[in-house]
Amino acid sequence: MDIYLIRHGIAADKEDYANDRDRPLIPKGEEKTQRVAQRLKAMGIEFELMLTSPFVRAKQTAQILFNVGLAASLEDYEPLSHGGDLRDFLQDWETSRYVQLKGALALVGHEPDLSQWAEQLLWGNIQEKMILKKSGIIGLSVPTVGSPLGKSQLFLLISPKWFV
């Protein structure tokens, strides 16, 4: 299965919000995410399902991607919240309807979580070598459910400045 890890767009400053969950995208973040979405659409990339962190900035990012027609469905997914654990996702994947997906899956979330998830899927552990820029994308081919960590293959790692 192909999984796309997508970081939310540029958001408002932390200092301006009492609750980090409430920080929205700023106009520049919306514009950049819209350009990334259009580019993905032009490349023919589609997701059978897009799961998003319930944080406002991630939901807005996912909604922009969804509105362009990149995903058949969009759902909030708590394990993608800032600080989410890959093990929670893998457990859900193995025991839920996600295992039946035939198409690509998009996960919209935060740093450093998404980079750490990618490193675990690629190398079996966190190496703190990858950094996913805002509106950036990591594409992984993940083997079948139940495969050990460290068996995935990287097919896309792109910063939005090279993508738009």
Side-chain angles (χ1 to χ4, degrees):
M1 167 186 282
D2 287 346
I3 295 179
Y4 292 81
L5 305 173
I6 304 169
R7 185 176 179 190
H8 64 78
I10 302 167
D13 291 332
K14 291 180 185 181
E15 299 80 35
D16 295 338
Y17 288 82
N19 188 338
D20 188 46
R21 296 177 76 94
D22 297 334
R23 289 194 301 129
L25 296 180
I26 62 171
K28 182 178 179 182
E30 291 175 348
E31 292 166 14
K32 188 176 277 190
T33 302
Q34 183 68 36
R35 289 194 311 267
V36 167
Q38 294 292 339
R39 184 73 173 120
L40 290 172
K41 185 71 171 172
M43 293 172 62
I45 293 175
E46 295 179 351
F47 313 120
E48 183 175 346
L49 174 63
M50 186 179 329
L51 300 176
T52 183
S53 159
F55 284 34
V56 170
R57 59 193 178 274
K59 288 179 73 160
Q60 289 177 313
T61 298
Q63 191 65 54
I64 291 168
L65 298 168
F66 183 77
N67 289 348
V68 170
L70 292 174
S73 62
L74 172 62
E75 299 174 15
D76 284 4
Y77 187 68
E78 192 64 37
L80 284 168
S81 296
H82 195 11
D85 192 323
L86 176 64
R87 291 174 294 204
D88 293 332
F89 168 71
L90 293 175
Q91 182 178 8
D92 284 349
W93 189 19
E94 292 177 1
T95 61
S96 71
R97 65 184 171 82
Y98 305 139
V99 74
Q100 299 174 6
L101 293 176
K102 303 289 185 224
L105 173 65
L107 304 176
V108 181
H110 310 273
E111 274 297 286
D113 307 329
L114 294 177
S115 292
Q116 291 175 355
W117 285 27
E119 289 179 344
Q120 290 174 79
L121 290 167
L122 288 167
W123 301 302
N125 57 45
I126 296 170
Q127 299 185 11
E128 297 184 7
K129 302 293 183 194
M130 295 180 107
I131 299 172
L132 185 57
K133 298 289 188 182
K134 292 177 177 124
S135 297
I137 302 167
I138 298 172
L140 302 173
S141 290
V142 179
T144 59
V145 175
S147 297
L149 292 177
K151 299 294 182 183
S152 299
Q153 294 181 347
L154 178 71
F155 66 84
L156 181 67
L157 174 58
I158 196 148
S159 171
K161 75 176 181 178
W162 299 107
F163 206 55
V164 295

